[in-house]
Amino acid sequence: MNQDDLKRLVGEAALDFVRPDSVIGVGTGSTVNCFIEALIKSGMRIEAAVSSSEATTSLLQAGGIEVIDLNQTGGLDIYIDGADEFDAHRRLIKGGGAALTREKIVAAASRKFVCIADQSKQVGVLGAFPLPIEVIPLARSLVARKLVGLGGQPEWREGVVTDNGNWILDVHNMDLVDPVGMEKAINNLAGVVTCGLFALRPADLVLMSTESGVQQL
Ligand code: 5RP
């Protein structure tokens, strides 16, 4: 099986966690796209979805699924999203697709966060994947200098503008042995919208696809 097959497998497995006629939160990325495809194919009726990006909104709407604003609904039963990395405590790095801020908001509004990922995303310690950080454009250099002070090597993802009109810094070589502490420290920097660490609010369940099937972690 190649990585695309593993993404499809775990995208389909996530369907088992969706309650018919509920309002669900939907993340962003190629693994989530497999989930959306499986959801549409299944014909399961859901009341509506809260989306974490313009790209996901387009896909959902093209498949006939109503997308509503988070302000129109209360807490969500479930949020389904991918990750760039996850550890044994279900803490994540996200934001490879630049949708981290809306993803963090929808995750915070959800009672259960199911992360879907193939086995290549599993790590012992987070941080091999450069940590994405959404910044207010005016503060890019200021935040970059502060990140160097925290031990990282930030790189501007030039040309990328988030759905919120902001920019992304990808930080290499951050020491993330204390992901909760680092998430708080980075989120406290003036000019940071949010960082791609999901440690304060980790996933509740990781569905990991492997050659021999989908495991629940
Ligand atoms: C987008 C994300 C994605 O969940 C993450 O990048 C994984 O993407 P993919 O499923 O394409 O590997 O955080 O901001």
Side-chain angles (χ1 to χ4, degrees):
M1 262 191 238
N2 62 28
Q3 198 182 18
D4 287 346
D5 295 328
L6 291 172
K7 287 181 179 189
R8 255 192 302 278
L9 190 66
V10 76
E12 284 163 10
L15 273 186
D16 291 345
F17 294 83
V18 177
R19 224 169 17 94
D21 294 314
S22 60
V23 180
I24 64 171
V26 185
T28 299
S30 54
T31 314
V32 166
N33 291 350
C34 294
F35 163 69
I36 296 171
E37 200 183 309
L39 179 65
I40 293 166
K41 261 201 202 138
S42 75
M44 186 196 298
R45 210 199 86 86
I46 60 160
E47 191 181 322
V50 171
S51 164
S52 65
S53 66
E54 301 300 328
T56 289
T57 297
S58 301
L59 265 185
L60 289 166
Q61 288 175 335
I65 295 172
E66 187 188 357
V67 177
I68 59 171
D69 191 284
L70 185 60
N71 293 308
Q72 279 177 260
T73 178
L76 300 165
D77 274 351
I78 195 158
Y79 177 54
I80 297 186
D81 198 0
D84 299 300
E85 280 185 357
F86 64 90
D87 71 9
H89 304 280
R90 301 179 305 279
R91 299 175 298 202
L92 319 171
I93 286 185
K94 292 186 46 55
L100 61 161
T101 299
R102 294 189 190 187
E103 290 172 338
K104 204 173 264 196
I105 294 167
V106 185
S110 302
R111 280 178 281 283
K112 185 163 186 164
F113 175 4
V114 177
C115 176
I116 53 175
D118 62 81
Q119 60 192 3
S120 70
K121 311 285 184 68
Q122 187 177 38
V123 296
V125 178
L126 296 171
F129 191 91
L131 178 64
I133 298 178
E134 180 162 352
V135 296
I136 301 289
L138 166 78
R140 174 176 61 84
S141 298
L142 170 69
V143 172
R145 288 195 296 277
K146 300 279 184 191
L147 290 167
V148 170
L150 289 174
Q153 291 163 306
E155 185 185 358
W156 179 23
R157 207 184 292 178
E158 219 171 333
V160 171
V161 179
T162 70
D163 286 346
N164 312 307
N166 298 314
W167 291 349
I168 298 286
L169 292 173
D170 293 305
V171 191
H172 300 257
N173 302 320
M174 269 317 236
D175 181 351
L176 297 181
V177 286
D178 173 17
V180 168
M182 192 54 93
E183 183 175 357
K184 287 181 185 167
I186 296 173
N187 285 346
N188 257 338
L189 299 174
V192 167
V193 180
T194 200
C195 78
L197 274 168
F198 284 56
L200 289 161
R201 200 282 179 248
D204 299 300
L205 177 69
V206 175
L207 296 182
M208 178 179 77
S209 53
T210 70
E211 294 288 333
S212 49
V214 176
Q215 295 176 12
Q216 296 191 15
L217 309 171

